[in-house]
């Protein structure tokens, strides 16, 4: 059943939440008195549509409707999740929660995007304090999975579990903090680094660009995958974490940083930083920088996905949920043998395009190979079978590139078996965007013994499944392009 | 001419430097009195050989020799770069530099891996103070490009420029700090975050795993590509950096973090952190974690390389240098037309393998497509030509997968023109590891007008270059597999 989210307060953060929910198929009801809200949220949604759908290797559900409402009462009606992203002033938050709780369901989650307030502060004077929790996301909300979920002592345990489940469903990760603390966790680190960075600029040690390079060419890219402690655990080597701490611990009392001194926030300092930032990044507009950032995040997260690690492992977990109840989660017996088999439904990721502006040729084969993997899984050559020592290796491939396709397009692949007997498997894939045929991929594979790396017969069950499809597909007319050689007359 | 690096002090950092130099073709002379030094450096070298060579799309030069020396005098003889990574005690550093300067060339760079000392401290009492500079790298040194280069007031300007050039040549980025400061720049940030993280664990707010997740699922992956200021510039939106600072500036005086209080370094705290770290990461050995980390870094850096951004843009800059003077930098006129054209010499990257343990099928096409790009560049269809509105699109591809290949292998591709006339280009690639034929790729391409997306004739110069190779290659015997269709008899 379609779920509904209420977004109270738009802007970059509220818009990011709206995009996250809508692109995952939720109905979204927005309340924001700003006359510019629809435009602003629309811009965030456009960025999200460009980058989020291609993160996973299965397509997201159909995008949900986004409705702009005239009141909080209207926005929260029927909502399963209400996300507050109003300005960071406690009296505004309290007034908003009172209005929300007067009209929303008692079993809906009310999340606050606040970075500055603790849940106990938010809950003061509330009709149902246990319903209100901090759900603090990170920009861009539509790509980054982290949500700091802080329910405070008053939090309702059942609602907390519900919040975690709902967040997983939209590809987010709830970091459930059991004790409340000022600024939660991540922003405390950001404050520390920001403060030190301001001193370095003010004291003329380094420019904004030099500081950014000191981060992104060094520890920044390390932290993208392991964070702080696991990185140091590795650095400590075989001697382990205790050894590392013995080495690095004493440094803590050295007077390195100016941590607690706060630089005076003068016009001069603001001008210095703004000027250096212009010199560093001014050749690109903010919109261009957003697209660069999102391209980078997508390619790194997809890279980590293939490694099944960090933010990429979260994407794989989300995909398992996404497959449930769709063709991409079906079993062989559920699929008719007299029709081509649906083996892919995915969105072309941002990082699959090339200098010609379209999906690059090797990604056609990437998509076909994934479709082959899905077909193998269907007939029983799945991860468990492969780890038991059998698999299929591709011996020969023929691709016809018939039309262009661009990042963000939803492509589908259907597969038919041309030949399936003994160790031989001959497949013919057709890739489409809607009805438009984009490419065909013809593949000859051999079942192999992974020990000897030599051809061998598959398990009887795999062969039986394969033969069933081969016999069914033999009834279909031969597809255009089958058995074609390059240079042969058309 | 082969350059020589002296590595004084092995371990993880010295070993990382040794690997960086050797894999970039330098001769490396190591001095380390530790009887385990050769084993330890060997382990770091093995990790580096696994991960570094595939980062770029051209192969590194042949690996340089690594020699273990009996004295500092022997190690620094003939060295262009001397890197000191001895323990962090000033009297040991001073003694080391005295011995180094007694035997090394006066125009060699002496870099120190120190994180704790300023160059003015290192230079005290030195024979030639201007020769000694901080060159502080980040672990793993063989993958991360950042080097904080701090020469201090005594630094020799010519030697500083030389140091930057040499570091670029081994794929590193010299962040030249003009003023010296305790802990340079990056470690000041690390100290701030580490200190705050210890408090969060000690106070029971979050575990080591929760803190790592708070970093890597949120700001960590942002910082991997843009650092701190550029990220905030984007967050500020169209209103710009001044607006962002006006919003976030006042938070600085809020009493969020425990920055300057140093948590007492008790056995209890060490045990707490070591125990949480075991629970978080203990299912993988340090060696396994190192490999996970390196896989992740490689895939993220290669993703950023395709976006030409951050650490990936540095790889592209390095590649320009690497192509110079090799076949991969040759011009069409320099290559004989009666021989297949060398179009690739690259190392299979870590992230090109699949669940079968070998290079996955779509990466064969990736490598062939890059070889096609190189051939296009050779005949004049380069980036400038493409931006003027013409390019080639692949219409049809046939690949024979003849043998397996694994990450780390150096593969070469040679290309011959089967047909090159008018808008048509028919290429046949052969991929080899050494003499072993791995695959052939046959491709039919059409020259297109990028405005109309329709076939069109190429420039006369491109056609002339293409015809020259087509005529030359027509003299060669037809390659095995040319014009083959899947399912045809062999």
């Amino acid at each position: 059943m379609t779920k509904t989210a209420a977004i109270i307060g738009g802007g970059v953060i509220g818009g990011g939440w709206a995009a996250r929910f809508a692109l995952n198929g939720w109905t979204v009801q927005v309340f924001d008195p700003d006359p510019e809200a629809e435009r602003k949220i629309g811009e965030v949604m456009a960025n999200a549509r460009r980058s989020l759908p291609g993160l996973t290797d299965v397509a997201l559900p159909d995008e949900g409707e986004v409705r702009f409402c005239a009141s909080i009462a209207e926005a929260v009606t029927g909502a399963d999740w209400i996300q507050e992203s109003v300005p960071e002033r406690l009296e505004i938050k309290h007034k908003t929660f009172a209005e929300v709780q007067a009209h929303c369901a008692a079993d809906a989650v009310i999340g606050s995007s606040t970075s500055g307030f603790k849940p106990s502060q938010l809950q003061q004077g509330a009709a149902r304090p246990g319903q209100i929790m901090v759900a603090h996301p990170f920009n861009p909300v539509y790509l980054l999975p982290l949500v700091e979920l802080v329910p405070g002592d008053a939090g309702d345990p059942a609602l907390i579990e519900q919040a975690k489940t709902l967040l997983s469903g939209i590809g987010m990760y709830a970091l459930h903090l059991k004790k409340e603390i000022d600024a939660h966790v991540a922003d405390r680190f950001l404050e520390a680094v920001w403060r030190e960075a301001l001193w370095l600029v003010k004291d003329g040690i380094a420019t904004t660009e030099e500081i950014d390079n000191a981060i992104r060419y060094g520890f920044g890219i390390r932290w993208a995958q392991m964070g702080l402690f696991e990185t140091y655990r590795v650095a400590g080597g075989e001697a382990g974490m205790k050894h590392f701490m013995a080495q690095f611990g004493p440094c803590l009392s050295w007077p390195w940083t100016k941590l607690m001194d706060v630089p005076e926030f003068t016009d001069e300092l603001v001008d210095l930083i703004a000027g250096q930032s212009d010199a560093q990044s001014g050749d690109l507009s903010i919109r261009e920088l957003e697209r660069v950032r999102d391209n980078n995040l997508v390619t790194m997260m997809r890279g980590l996905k293939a490694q099944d690690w960090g933010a990429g492992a979260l994407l794989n977990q989300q995909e398992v949920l996404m497959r449930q109840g769709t063709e991409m989660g079906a079993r062989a017996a559920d699929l008719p043998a007299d029709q081509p088999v649906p083996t892919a439904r995915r969105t072309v990721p941002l990082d699959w395009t090339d200098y010609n502006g379209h999906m690059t040729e090797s990604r056609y084969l990437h998509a076909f190979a994934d479709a082959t993997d899905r077909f193998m899984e269907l007939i029983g050559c799945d991860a468990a079978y492969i780890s038991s020592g059998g698999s299929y290796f591709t011996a020969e491939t023929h691709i016809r590139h018939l039309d262009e396709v661009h990042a963000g397009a939803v492509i589908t692949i259907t597969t038919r078996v041309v030949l399936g007997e003994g160790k031989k498997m001959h497949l013919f894939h057709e890739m489409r965007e809607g009805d438009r045929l984009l490419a065909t991929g013809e593949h000859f594979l051999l079942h192999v013994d992974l020990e000897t790396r030599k051809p061998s017969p598959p398990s009887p069950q795999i062969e039986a499944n394969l033969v069933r499809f081969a016999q069914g597909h033999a009834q279909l007319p031969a597809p255009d392009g089958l058995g074609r050689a390059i240079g042969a007359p058309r």
Side-chain angles (χ1 to χ4, degrees), chain A residues 331-343:
Chain A
R331 290 180 310 172
D334 303 331
L335 294 168
D338 58 353
Q339 292 296 321
V341 179
T343 46

Side-chain angles (χ1 to χ4, degrees), chain A residues 15 28 41 70 84 119 148 150 211 237-238 257 318 341 344 370 389 420 423 425 446 460-461 474:
Chain A
V28 174
I41 288 181
E84 169 275 307
E148 291 174 320
V150 201
I211 288 169
E238 296 300 347
T257 49
Q318 185 191 6
V341 179
D370 284 356
K423 63 194 179 188
M425 179 161 73
L446 287 168
Q461 190 215 336

Side-chain angles (χ1 to χ4, degrees), chain A residues 191-200 202-203 255-265 269:
Chain A
E191 184 204 27
V193 170
W194 175 245
R195 197 179 284 198
E196 182 61 26
L198 292 182
W199 275 119
L200 290 169
K202 186 181 168 68
D203 291 347
W256 277 356
T257 49
K258 288 193 171 182
L259 294 174
M260 212 47 200
D261 288 340
V262 179
E264 210 188 331
F265 220 65
L269 179 57

Side-chain angles (χ1 to χ4, degrees), chain A residues 4 7 19 24 29 115 205 293 340 379 473:
Chain A
T4 298
I7 300 298
N24 279 284
Q29 300 176 165
S115 52
I205 304 293
R293 176 198 63 195
I379 60 174
H473 294 166

